[in-house]
Amino acid sequence: MNSATGSAKSWRSERLSKLGSSIFVEVTDWKRAAIASGMDIIDLGIGSPDQPPTENVRQALSDAALRTDMYAYPAIKGGLPYKEQAAAWMLHRFGVTVDPASEVVTLLGSQDGLANLAMATCNPGDVVLLPNPGYPIYMASLVLAGVQAELMPLRPENNYLPDLEAISEEVWQKAKFILLNYPNNPLSAVADLSFFEKLLDKAKKYGVLVVHDIAYSEMGYDGYKPPSILQVAGASKQAVEFHSMSKSFNMAGCRIGFMVGNREAVSALRELKANVDYGVFEPVQEASIVALREAINEPDKHNVGELYERRRDAFITALHKEGWYVESPKATMFVWAKLPDMTWSKGSDWSSRTISQEMLKATGVVVIPGEAFGSEGEGYVRIALVEEENRLLEAAERIGRFIRGEHVIE
Ligand SMILES: *Cc1c(COP(=O)(O)O)cnc(C)c1O
């Protein structure tokens, strides 16, 4: 209540309190306190790329921004050139043919599409299958749309894939869509085409739309190239896929991505967006066209995976040396690390939250508690490889001292 008067109203909706995980807010508070105490912070928390796009991409953005014909509402022109280039890239990268006009929708970042898809495709009370742990916007989008989540645990014994047979007949019958994300944030797990085939078969049987978030498609390591679900024959009858320019082309701040696949879902999302926004700033579309074209013609310029692979190798080797035997990720910018054994603190019951907080206080290294991504994330922390190699090595060293209890004054 705002006041004691008769007209007391709250100008904050109840659904706001159900959005996202408060743990991210807490981590920000811990970080602020550590900065205030004069600590040197190494922030491996948020997964925001630390590199810029290539010079040609920045030049295209700048050139387009100087033009006078770039300042109308972008939706008026329909944005076909970007969608055509996205389609060309899908063909080049995955061998997948899509129709740019009817099977691609441009997004203000894939976050925009992920946030609005349930609103565009579901009715209040519908059921949607989500991964646990999962990227926070998945659950938030269901809260906004009044849709009910059925959580699928992703566990190491199942290679972090959902057990499709464990989902009840009743839930399959009721579900509107099933959302998955490989390579995965935060787990860094991967899925192969045979899993996608099985998934599509099941989904087809029950009329469930398969939604695949492939934000980390360009961050596969040791020669591994993450596949698109649309590589499965006939997949676009049953599936849509979210692509992001943010991680693949270091364009996170530009806010652009696209959803591709099933026509009905594409047109539903486009129709919703036509009502709530008027499209991506055209210079950003122009810059993205250059990025996608360059990725086709000069792939060496756009090898974001190479940088993160080098960081991964350096960091994992260093952590192992410090005595923390975490698994080396096959893809993504994340290390999903099982909590270490800390013999110095026998008796204390560490959760992913308390260990992240104590580690930050002792070392200045920011990581995200696994619990922030759902109950199945407990017992792990997520470490993002978003600083230069020398800083990652420094982080590993500090973490090592923390794990061994060398910061503890006897
Ligand atoms: C970063 C990220 C996104 C959001 O990407 P944008 O295109 O910047 O909105 C979507 N999904 C996952 C899993 C991510 O990690």
Side-chain angles (χ1 to χ4, degrees):
M1 297 281 159
N2 283 334
S3 72
T5 65
S7 59
K9 289 173 185 168
S10 169
W11 294 331
R12 200 187 143 78
S13 75
E14 283 165 24
R15 72 170 76 79
L16 264 188
S17 62
K18 296 184 206 151
L19 286 189
S21 156
S22 57
I23 298 182
F24 288 97
V25 179
E26 264 186 72
V27 173
T28 310
D29 289 343
W30 304 341
K31 185 181 155 187
R32 200 172 297 131
I35 291 170
S37 76
M39 261 187 142
D40 169 39
I41 301 295
I42 305 179
D43 192 348
L44 311 181
I46 300 294
S48 181
D50 59 316
Q51 298 293 306
T54 65
E55 181 158 6
N56 283 342
V57 172
R58 286 178 282 133
Q59 189 66 55
L61 180 63
S62 168
D63 289 349
L66 285 173
R67 278 166 53 184
T68 53
D69 61 342
M70 288 276 142
Y71 290 86
Y73 288 119
I76 294 169
K77 290 193 214 157
L80 194 58
Y82 172 68
K83 289 187 275 191
E84 283 172 343
Q85 194 57 55
W89 181 78
M90 288 297 293
L91 181 62
H92 168 81
R93 172 64 178 81
F94 303 107
V96 166
T97 303
V98 294
D99 174 38
S102 64
E103 295 180 320
V104 182
V105 50
T106 302
L107 304 171
L108 302 148
S110 54
Q111 187 90 356
D112 160 32
L114 289 163
N116 286 308
L117 185 68
M119 209 107 66
T121 60
C122 299
N123 299 310
D126 279 353
V127 169
V128 158
L129 285 153
L130 290 188
N132 176 12
Y135 187 60
I137 190 62
Y138 303 160
M139 183 61 88
S141 71
L142 302 195
V143 170
L144 291 176
V147 168
Q148 190 193 322
E150 277 288 335
L151 296 178
M152 305 172 284
L154 306 184
R155 299 198 171 127
E157 61 268 27
N158 208 14
N159 295 322
Y160 293 114
L161 298 170
D163 180 355
L164 301 176
E165 302 308 319
I167 300 165
S168 74
E169 180 84 14
E170 191 197 346
V171 168
W172 277 118
Q173 298 275 9
K174 281 202 279 189
K176 206 59 164 291
F177 66 78
I178 177 170
L179 201 167
L180 290 167
N181 159 226
Y182 295 100
N184 188 277
N185 174 11
L187 303 169
S188 70
V190 298
D192 59 19
L193 281 177
S194 72
F195 170 76
F196 288 146
E197 269 168 31
K198 257 196 308 193
L199 171 64
L200 286 163
D201 277 350
K202 267 278 190 199
K204 189 170 172 198
K205 183 169 166 199
Y206 296 101
V208 174
L209 177 71
V210 177
V211 179
H212 187 229
D213 176 1
I214 190 169
Y216 297 92
S217 65
E218 304 315 290
M219 288 187 196
Y221 307 136
D222 307 316
Y224 171 71
K225 285 227 165 207
S228 160
I229 194 168
L230 299 177
Q231 285 170 238
V232 178
S236 69
K237 290 199 191 85
Q238 208 65 45
V240 288
E241 193 164 69
F242 281 97
H243 290 263
S244 168
M245 303 295 292
S246 300
K247 320 299 174 15
S248 305
F249 299 96
N250 293 318
M251 295 177 76
C254 292
R255 312 312 303 131
I256 182 164
F258 60 92
M259 187 183 87
V260 57
N262 182 266
R263 276 165 205 233
E264 191 181 353
V266 162
S267 102
L269 184 55
R270 183 182 296 148
E271 196 174 321
L272 178 88
K273 282 175 53 58
N275 282 279
V276 298
D277 68 68
Y278 293 114
V280 174
F281 186 38
E282 276 191 89
V284 168
Q285 296 191 46
E286 292 290 319
S288 301
I289 289 170
V290 169
L292 291 164
R293 192 187 295 140
E294 237 182 19
I296 295 171
N297 298 330
E298 298 169 83
D300 287 346
K301 275 193 179 171
H302 283 275
N303 201 341
V304 284
E306 200 174 46
L307 171 75
Y308 289 98
E309 184 167 1
R310 250 186 287 126
R311 289 179 179 179
R312 173 201 70 162
D313 291 342
F315 185 66
I316 296 286
T317 307
L319 265 195
H320 286 185
K321 227 184 278 166
E322 299 293 340
W324 191 2
Y325 297 99
V326 303
E327 245 179 84
S328 182
K330 288 189 196 68
T332 79
M333 50 167 54
F334 304 113
V335 176
W336 185 243
K338 202 172 165 60
L339 299 188
D341 265 339
M342 299 205 292
T343 41
W344 59 271
S345 70
K346 275 232 164 12
S348 39
D349 201 4
W350 292 104
S351 66
S352 65
R353 202 172 144 280
T354 53
I355 211 167
S356 304
Q357 185 175 17
E358 291 308 315
M359 186 145 76
L360 172 53
K361 277 203 267 184
T363 66
V365 178
V366 184
V367 302
I368 303 289
E371 197 202 335
F373 304 95
S375 56
E376 291 288 333
E378 187 47 79
Y380 294 81
V381 294
R382 190 195 74 176
I383 308 172
L385 303 174
V386 290
E387 293 241 22
E388 302 282 1
E389 214 170 295
N390 64 328
R391 295 291 281 168
L392 292 173
L393 296 180
E394 167 74 24
E397 222 178 284
R398 291 189 203 172
I399 290 171
R401 287 201 291 274
F402 171 73
I403 292 173
R404 292 189 299 274
E406 287 166 22
H407 66 295
V408 180
I409 298 153
E410 300 288 343

